[in-house]
Every structure is written in structure tokens, then in C-alpha cells.
Amino acid sequence: MDQLAYVLPPAVISALIQIGLALLAFLLSRWILKRLDLRIDFNFKEWISNADDNAVSNYLGYRILAVCILVGLIVSGSL
């Protein structure tokens, strides 16, 4: 029982740091993508409302895949 009390606090702190890094990376990537869209005068809201169902489903699927890869890299310590 003493070993668990010794190991648990650093593990919890490490997990919180990893979650914080994942959130920071996600927010930073969203901000960068918005800035790039503004720079090339791309109106995302207009595109998503006029796009066909296949394009929207591909976009949403790839976005989820990209976030999962990003979180996996951060949690594994590769990023």
C-alpha cells in the first residue's frame, strides 16, 4: 500500500501534463488552420454549407483521424 501512495501522485501529474499538452496541441492546430484559411480567403462556413455529403463526411472523418493521431503522438511522448 505504501508503494501505491508513492507512485500514484507522479503518475497522476504526468497524465494531467499529457492531457494539457494534447489540448494545447489541438487548440494550436485549430488556430493555425483558421489563420491559413483567412490568408487564402477561404470561407469554411460557406464551403461546408454548400458541399455535398461525401465531401463533408470525408472531412469530418479525416479530422477525427488527425486528432486521434495527434493525441496518440503526445501521449506516447513522441511529440
Side-chain angles (χ1 to χ4, degrees), residues 14-32 66-75 79:
S14 176
L16 290 175
I17 289 172
Q18 293 291 335
I19 290 171
L21 286 174
L23 180 65
L24 180 67
F26 176 74
L27 293 175
L28 184 63
S29 63
R30 277 189 53 113
W31 182 77
I32 289 171
V67 169
C68 290
I69 290 171
L70 177 66
V71 170
L73 286 172
I74 290 171
V75 170
L79 191 62

Side-chain angles (χ1 to χ4, degrees), residues 27-44:
L27 293 175
L28 184 63
S29 63
R30 277 189 53 113
W31 182 77
I32 289 171
L33 288 173
K34 281 188 176 241
R35 295 296 144 227
L36 289 174
D37 286 345
L38 286 174
R39 210 165 170 169
I40 63 171
D41 292 329
F42 177 72
N43 189 350
F44 179 76

